[in-house]
């Protein structure tokens, strides 16, 4: 079976989730990275898509127009060749605002989708659609050559892309309410969505020496060091559905603090409530202090048994087979 993934090969900034999936699938299937030439002229049985809106993004209006034309050609190619389309739902909805013409194209792509993969059982799929739930894999193998030092007492960490819904501004403001005599520090590591958001964070942190900002993409080594130095990883998303950041922290044996919802409660039940700490309502200094107190108690390692990539790869291959069979049966 030949599977075309929707992400290109060989980029240093490619999400490790995607790279680990691609590697785990071999040699059960032939996996190809995305190029427009390959998508429009290559031979493949399954097109596996993760964030289809990315295929429409262009840095200039001219490039965006060209991407829309290519996307339309791809839709026609998938229809004419009766190619199975598998879609992984990483979010309930896109966090990026899309023009109306792009939303129409994405809606048409949804109609071409043969099978939907959910990363947790709470993700909605179209009524009557073929679906398979395959949990997000861990990052232990990806960071197997990294050794973590002892965490710094009182160190809180946020890492990942900095977008409005992730609540990083509020985390900085809340942390500043910690009394100065309390041993604590906050590190923010990640690229802001815009220069305006970066400037807002710099202003919010100004004058507090306990707060350190690294406002750019971090290398794997830098990220591993930052997580290893943290006593607690704080992810105060206003909307949390799936979080690769939470699983990365857990893979490196660092506890996470996240908002309470059905998904985070299920994750806590799976890996252990001493590793996934949840809170209701707005984030507060008391919530942070109580969480720090909890993570200092003895606990066993987080249970990530269901997140192994060998299990995930086997489930993906089965899903691809179901999608191909469904297309042939039409």
């Amino acid at each position: 079976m030949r599977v075309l993934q929707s992400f290109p090969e060989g980029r240093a900034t490619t999400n490790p989730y995607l790279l680990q999936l691609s590697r785990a699938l071999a040699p059960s299937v032939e996996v190809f990275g995305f190029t427009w030439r390959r998508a429009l002229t290559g031979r493949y049985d399954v097109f596996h898509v993760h964030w289809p809106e990315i295929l429409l993004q262009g840095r200039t209006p001219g490039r965006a127009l060209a991407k829309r034309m290519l996307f339309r050609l791809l839709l026609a190619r998938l229809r004419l060749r009766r190619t199975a389309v598998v879609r992984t739902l990483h979010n309930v909805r896109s966090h990026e605002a899309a023009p109306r013409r792009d939303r129409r194209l994405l809606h048409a792509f949804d109609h071409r989708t043969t099978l939907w993969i959910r990363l947790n059982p709470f993700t909605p799929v179209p009524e009557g659609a073929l679906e398979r739930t395959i949990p997000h894999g861990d990052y232990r193998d990806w960071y197997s050559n990294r050794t973590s030092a002892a965490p710094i007492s009182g160190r809180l960490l946020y890492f990942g892309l900095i977008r409005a819904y992730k609540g990083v501004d509020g985390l900085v403001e809340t942390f500043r309410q910690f009394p100065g005599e309390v041993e604590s520090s906050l590190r923010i590591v990640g690229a802001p969505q815009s220069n305006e958001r970066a400037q807002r964070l710099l202003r919010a942190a100004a004058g507090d020496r306990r707060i350190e900002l690294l406002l750019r993409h971090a290398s794997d080594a830098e990220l591993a060091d930052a997580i290893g130095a943290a006593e607690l990883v704080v992810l105060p998303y206003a909307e949390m559905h799936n979080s690769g950041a939470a699983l990365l922290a857990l893979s490196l044996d660092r506890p996470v603090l996240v908002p309470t919802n059905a998904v985070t409660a299920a994750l806590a039940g799976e890996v252990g409530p001493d590793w996934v700490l949840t809170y209701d309502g707005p984030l507060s200094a008391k919530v942070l202090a109580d969480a720090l107190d909890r993570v200092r108690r003895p606990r066993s390692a987080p249970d990530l048994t269901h997140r192994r990539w060998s299990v995930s790869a086997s489930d993906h291959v089965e899903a691809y087979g179901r999608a191909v069979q469904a297309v042939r049966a039409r």
Side-chain angles (χ1 to χ4, degrees):
M1 186 182 297
R2 298 164 65 91
V3 176
L4 176 66
Q5 297 283 350
S6 64
F7 55 90
E9 299 170 321
R11 290 187 180 176
T13 56
T14 300
N15 188 323
Y17 167 88
L18 302 174
L19 296 176
Q20 288 190 104
L21 171 61
S22 181
R23 294 172 185 178
L25 287 169
S28 300
V29 298
E30 284 189 88
V31 182
F32 301 94
F34 186 86
T35 66
W36 280 108
R37 179 185 295 276
R38 186 172 285 157
L40 295 175
T41 65
R43 184 174 64 84
Y44 50 94
D45 305 295
V46 176
F47 183 35
H48 186 176
V49 184
H50 296 270
W51 294 275
E53 61 271 19
I54 292 177
L55 298 176
L56 288 166
Q57 293 174 358
R59 295 182 180 178
T60 66
R63 288 188 177 184
L65 177 61
K67 290 288 185 69
R68 292 187 195 105
M69 295 175 63
L70 291 169
F71 197 89
R72 291 189 181 95
L73 290 173
L74 175 59
L75 285 171
R77 197 265 189 198
L78 295 172
R79 177 177 57 83
L80 292 172
R81 297 292 297 268
R82 300 179 70 235
T83 302
V85 177
V86 173
R87 167 87 179 275
T88 295
L89 289 165
H90 291 266
N91 307 302
V92 174
R93 59 182 176 82
S94 173
H95 295 296
E96 308 293 341
R100 181 181 301 177
R101 53 185 174 271
D102 287 359
R103 293 199 299 269
R104 286 197 296 265
L105 287 172
L106 292 171
H107 184 67
F109 187 83
D110 287 348
H111 278 288
R112 293 297 322 155
T113 299
T114 315
L115 183 145
W116 304 78
I117 291 177
R118 306 189 294 179
L119 300 179
N120 68 68
F122 305 99
T123 305
V125 297
E127 185 176 356
L130 283 177
E131 62 87 15
R132 180 70 188 264
T133 300
I134 305 175
H136 192 305
D138 66 28
Y139 293 91
R140 281 183 169 159
D141 288 345
W142 188 260
Y143 286 93
S144 60
N145 62 338
R146 303 287 178 187
T147 56
S148 294
I152 298 171
S153 180
R155 169 65 59 84
L156 304 175
L157 171 70
Y158 168 88
F159 69 90
L161 294 176
I162 300 173
R163 296 176 172 175
Y165 78 93
K166 293 193 173 184
V168 184
D169 294 0
L171 172 59
V172 171
E173 293 170 4
T174 299
F175 176 79
R176 295 195 66 151
Q177 298 171 22
F178 262 44
E181 63 271 16
V182 175
E183 183 182 25
S184 59
S185 59
L186 172 64
R187 195 164 191 225
I188 308 293
V189 177
Q193 188 177 24
S194 65
N195 185 61
E196 179 186 359
R197 187 154 300 282
Q199 294 302 317
R200 187 181 305 168
L201 274 175
L202 288 168
R203 290 193 297 269
D208 194 327
R209 295 182 179 179
R210 302 171 301 168
I211 303 175
E212 179 184 349
L213 306 178
L214 181 64
L215 302 183
R216 60 171 173 79
H217 288 287
S219 68
D220 285 346
E222 289 174 320
L223 208 50
D225 289 343
I227 295 170
E231 201 169 12
L232 176 67
V233 172
V234 185
L235 303 172
Y237 300 1
E239 301 176 22
M240 175 166 282
H241 191 67
N242 292 296
S243 175
L247 287 168
L248 174 50
L250 294 168
S251 297
L252 295 178
D253 294 337
R254 290 297 179 265
V256 297
L257 176 66
V258 292
T260 299
N261 61 32
V263 177
T264 57
L267 183 60
E270 177 190 341
V271 305
D274 292 332
W275 288 97
V276 179
L277 287 66
T278 61
Y279 65 93
D280 293 304
L283 185 66
S284 67
K286 184 178 186 307
V287 168
L288 294 176
D290 289 348
L292 276 173
D293 181 63
R294 282 186 59 189
V295 301
R296 289 167 178 164
R297 303 170 190 172
R299 60 193 185 278
S300 57
D303 182 2
L304 297 175
T305 304
H306 299 296
R307 307 285 174 162
R308 292 174 180 165
W309 279 104
S310 57
V311 176
S312 179
S314 176
D315 289 345
H316 273 89
V317 172
E318 190 274 340
Y320 296 153
R322 283 182 63 193
V324 171
Q325 290 174 5
V327 169
R328 291 173 178 171
R330 290 174 184 168

